[in-house]
């Protein structure tokens, strides 16, 4: 440790509109002392997720982030010292470290991680993003070979993995993403069968052309108008895995929301289920075994977007919400 300074990013104001750099500030505090049952961590990589923005609205599956506190966020960290059994200096862990260089966290809230190269994979394909894609698609979507799977935010950390797993399972895969470059990347690099550029505006028509047999499984990361377009094209007894609602997080959400609810769900006998990845952690080892096997064989490509410097974390999150990233975005502290 250099000195006794812990650099932190504070959320100084909860935004009412779009998130901006003015809502954050860089501050310094003393490096905390771990209490009994805690470990002192040196944060190595901070995970950036659309959910970071959702936490500013209020309590979700976790407490809301309040003004004038360290911005919340998961991270991969190294144990500096420990006052908890089972953790020792040098161990790698995942936990809610917040946007800071050092954190003292109860061991019961930490997950011990294996040492893999590159370490960044612990936040992407072997972390929350990969596990969310795996369980959301396979346990909620239940795709069968020959079916059509559509995924929104398809160039993002979760969506890019969802589409590739669906291809591994023998499905026809259509991704919805923003911009021609991202759409070309999905089809040329990741093996998607087709991609729809929602920025063109004619999502419904483009989706019908890309998925002429209708949609059997829709993995929803965005909600709003895109969910509405997909609902109308679902096949009977289709499954919808509700992972997130990026379109609702930052700024003003769609005025009318997805129309056709519950009518289309009833008529088409659809199953529409939300999920949180933590619900499936008892199956984590099996999922990691599959993910590691697919990565090793080249069936699953990993795309990571690593930003350097704690001070760049706010800008990196704002950019993620604007769709700048491909694959998993994180900050190297």
């Amino acid at each position: 440790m250099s000195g006794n300074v812990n650099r932190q990013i504070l959320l100084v104001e909860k935004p009412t509109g779009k998130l901006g750099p003015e809502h954050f500030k860089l501050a310094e505090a003393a490096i905390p002392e771990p209490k009994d049952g805690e470990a002192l961590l040196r944060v190595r990589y901070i995970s950036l997720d659309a959910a970071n923005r959702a936490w500013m609205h209020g309590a979700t599956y976790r407490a809301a982030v309040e003004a004038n506190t360290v911005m919340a966020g998961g991270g991969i960290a190294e144990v500096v010292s420990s006052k908890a059994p089972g953790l020792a200096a040098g161990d790698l862990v995942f936990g809610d470290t917040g946007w800071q260089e050092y954190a003292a966290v109860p061991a019961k809230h930490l997950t011990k991680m294996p040492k893999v190269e590159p370490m960044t994979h612990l936040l992407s394909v072997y972390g929350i993003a990969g596990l969310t894609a795996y369980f959301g698609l396979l346990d909620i979507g239940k795709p069968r070979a020959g079916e059509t799977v559509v995924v929104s935010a398809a160039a993002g950390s979760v969506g890019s993995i969802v589409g590739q797993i669906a291809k591994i399972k023998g499905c026809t895969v259509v991704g919805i993403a923003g911009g021609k470059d991202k759409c070309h990347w999905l089809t040329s690099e990741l093996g998607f069968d087709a991609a729809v550029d929602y920025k063109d505006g004619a999502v419904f028509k483009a989706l019908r052309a890309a998925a002429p047999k209708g949609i059997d499984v829709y993995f929803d990361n965005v909600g709003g108008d895109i969910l509405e377009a997909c609902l109308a094209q679902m096949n009977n007894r289709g499954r919808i895995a509700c992972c997130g609602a990026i379109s609702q997080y930052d700024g003003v959400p769609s005025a009318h929301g997805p129309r056709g609810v519950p009518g289309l769900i009833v008529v088409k006998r659809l199953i529409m289920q939300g999920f949180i990845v933590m619900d499936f952690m008892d199956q984590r080892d099996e999922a990691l075994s599959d993910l590691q096997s697919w990565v090793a064989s080249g069936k699953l490509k990993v795309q990571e977007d690593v930003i350097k410097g704690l001070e760049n974390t706010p800008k990196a999150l704002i950019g993620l919400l604007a769709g700048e990233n491909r694959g998993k975005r994180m900050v190297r502290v």
Side-chain angles (χ1 to χ4, degrees), residues 3-283:
N4 195 39
V5 175
N6 181 23
R7 295 197 309 153
Q8 304 172 318
I9 301 291
L10 306 184
L11 179 72
V12 294
E13 181 185 2
K14 296 175 78 167
T16 55
K18 280 193 171 294
L19 187 66
E22 68 275 11
H23 297 115
F24 300 95
K25 76 172 182 180
L26 181 65
E28 292 184 350
I31 295 174
E33 287 287 338
K35 302 172 185 175
D36 287 343
E38 292 185 340
L40 174 63
L41 310 176
R42 171 68 170 96
V43 182
R44 300 290 298 277
Y45 291 92
I46 293 171
S47 176
L48 293 178
D49 304 281
N52 290 139
R53 179 67 180 89
W55 301 339
M56 300 175 196
H57 290 294
T60 54
Y61 52 86
R62 56 152 294 144
V65 183
E66 300 298 338
N68 295 309
T69 62
V70 175
M71 178 59 200
I76 293 294
E78 184 176 350
V79 175
V80 177
S81 62
S82 173
K83 291 186 178 179
L87 286 179
D91 286 345
L92 286 181
V93 295
F94 173 82
D96 190 350
T97 60
W99 291 8
Q100 55 188 339
E101 292 178 329
Y102 294 92
V105 181
K108 64 183 180 181
H109 296 153
L110 298 172
T111 302
K112 198 169 178 178
M113 305 298 285
K115 293 187 177 180
V116 301
E117 291 295 337
M119 186 188 297
T120 50
H121 280 18
L122 296 174
L123 277 186
S124 60
V125 66
Y126 305 140
I128 296 298
L131 295 172
T132 297
Y134 183 96
F135 292 121
L137 178 65
L138 301 183
D139 283 60
I140 308 298
K142 294 181 168 55
R144 295 182 285 269
E147 291 189 324
T148 297
V149 174
V150 172
V151 54
S152 55
S157 60
V158 174
S160 60
I161 298 175
V162 168
Q164 292 184 84
I165 296 176
K167 286 301 299 178
I168 290 168
K169 295 298 181 179
C171 298
T172 297
V173 179
V174 179
I176 303 174
K180 289 182 172 58
D181 288 346
K182 282 186 177 180
C183 289
H184 177 70
W185 175 66
L186 292 174
T187 55
S188 65
E189 296 292 328
L190 299 191
F192 285 50
D193 295 284
V196 170
D197 180 4
Y198 72 82
K199 291 185 177 180
D200 275 352
V203 173
F204 185 91
K205 183 178 179 181
L207 190 57
R208 174 147 287 179
K213 296 181 180 180
I215 303 168
D216 299 296
V217 179
Y218 172 48
F219 194 105
D220 184 32
N221 286 306
V222 301
D225 295 338
I226 290 176
L227 171 58
E228 180 177 305
C230 291
L231 268 171
Q233 299 185 51
M234 295 295 298
N235 290 328
N236 287 346
R237 304 191 188 282
R239 289 82 66 200
I240 301 171
C242 297
C243 179
I246 297 170
S247 67
Q248 315 294 304
Y249 295 162
D250 199 34
V252 180
S254 171
H256 52 70
R259 292 167 292 194
V261 177
L264 288 170
I265 296 174
V266 175
V267 172
K268 294 174 178 282
R269 285 86 85 198
L270 304 177
I271 294 174
M272 188 173 185
Q273 182 176 338
F275 73 100
I276 301 293
V277 69
M278 291 75 166
D279 298 340
F280 298 93
M281 283 306 175
D282 59 334
Q283 305 170 54

Side-chain angles (χ1 to χ4, degrees), residues 284-316:
R284 179 172 172 265
D285 290 346
E286 177 186 348
L288 287 175
S289 177
D290 283 344
L291 291 166
Q292 288 166 347
S293 172
W294 294 332
V295 171
S297 66
K299 292 180 179 179
L300 181 56
K301 296 180 180 179
V302 183
Q303 179 76 17
E304 296 173 340
D305 181 12
V306 182
I307 310 296
K308 296 179 183 178
L310 178 72
E311 65 278 4
N312 293 318
T313 312
K315 181 180 177 182

